[in-house]
Amino acid sequence: MTAVERERLAIAADLLAPRLLGMLLVRRIAGKRLAGIIVETEAYLGAVDRASHAFAGRRTARNQSMYGRPGIAYVYFTYGMHHCMNVVCGREGEASAVLLRALEPIEGLEVMRRARGPGRGGVPRADQELCSGPGKLCQALSIDRSLDGADLTTGKAGLWIEPGRGEAGVVGRSARVGVDYAGEWAATPLRFFIEGNAHVSGKGGARPGRKRAGGG
DNA sequence: CGGCCGATCAGCT
DNA sequence: GCTGATCGGCCGA
């Protein structure tokens, strides 16, 4: 990642979130390269944002990396079993971040499949079941708390972001997921995704034969 | 120190 | 669509 790109991470989360769409999240494990196109993100706006872990300036051992330099990762553990990854952005100390919610996997799919484990009946998982959710993509890329605070601009920890290759597609926008408790912030449209992309979360695409809302 | 709950997922109905 | 899994973090006492 170049110095210019690094500088661009110092922008507000609601500007960075759509800009990350189409870019690549890359992981190197044991010499192997795993990568996916970022197709879904959510912006979290720091102290003012009731849905943010940094709401009202909350700062604990768990979320301290949110207050670090733009361009580092904030990885947290939730629901007793899942990890989620954010890109810290804005000015240092602002505690803004962008949650990566889904990827379209393009490199290292076999490694991802192994990390995700077998699907129902031991059947290998479909491509769109690998990274179509914030917990899933962390499992597929073996991202856990050991990568909390990792510098994504140097990639030294084996995790970084690269420019995309070509058009990202039409960007859709909606309220964020799973933040119903956040008052008016719950309805604020801070979720961004690539319209029509099969790897966006919550499509039920991993369940063939299942009815789903008509897409457009 | 106890209790509650979550930026989720998968499996069943 | 609904719910159990599963446990660390956080808050209140």
Side-chain angles (χ1 to χ4, degrees):
Chain A
M1 182 168 270
T2 68
V4 172
E5 287 156 354
R6 202 171 307 150
E7 191 62 32
R8 285 183 175 161
L9 291 170
I11 65 176
D14 56 331
L15 295 180
L16 178 63
R19 194 172 296 187
L20 283 174
L21 297 177
M23 295 182 77
L24 266 47
L25 180 66
V26 187
R27 178 92 165 98
R28 184 170 285 281
I29 304 173
K32 291 201 178 175
R33 187 181 146 106
L34 316 182
I37 302 167
I38 299 169
V39 299
E40 182 181 351
T41 58
E42 279 179 1
Y44 287 84
L45 304 186
V48 297
D49 182 355
R50 189 169 200 88
S52 170
H53 290 172
F55 176 62
R58 219 167 93 232
R59 183 171 188 167
T60 65
R62 176 212 206 189
N63 71 354
Q64 63 175 336
S65 58
M66 292 188 86
Y67 291 84
R69 293 195 324 284
I72 66 175
Y74 166 45
V75 181
Y76 66 88
F77 181 71
T78 193
Y79 289 104
M81 60 187 95
H82 298 295
H83 292 277
C84 296
M85 176 193 166
N86 297 253
V87 179
V88 174
C89 63
R91 301 183 57 167
E92 181 167 357
E94 183 181 310
S96 290
V98 175
L99 172 69
L100 302 185
R101 284 193 57 88
L103 308 176
E104 176 180 337
I106 57 171
E107 293 179 50
L109 272 66
E110 289 313 312
V111 176
M112 294 185 196
R113 247 187 282 278
R114 204 179 319 138
R116 290 274 289 123
R120 208 183 336 203
V123 180
R125 290 184 189 277
D127 292 358
Q128 66 220 65
E129 214 185 332
L130 293 178
C131 302
S132 54
K136 295 177 186 179
L137 75 89
C138 283
Q139 187 178 27
L141 301 193
S142 298
I143 295 168
D144 61 22
R145 285 281 286 171
S146 70
L147 286 165
D148 183 49
D151 192 334
L152 302 171
T153 69
T154 66
K156 281 183 181 171
L159 182 66
W160 66 94
I161 289 170
E162 291 181 2
R165 310 162 180 170
E167 302 290 315
V170 178
V171 175
R173 199 169 170 173
S174 78
R176 292 171 294 185
V177 175
V179 297
D180 294 343
Y181 58 87
E184 39 190 300
W185 285 96
T188 308
L190 291 172
R191 170 175 174 256
F192 301 85
F193 56 94
I194 297 179
E195 215 47 89
N197 187 287
H199 301 265
V200 168
S201 72
K203 297 199 144 190
R207 283 175 284 182
R210 186 159 195 87
K211 243 188 186 173
R212 65 185 202 205

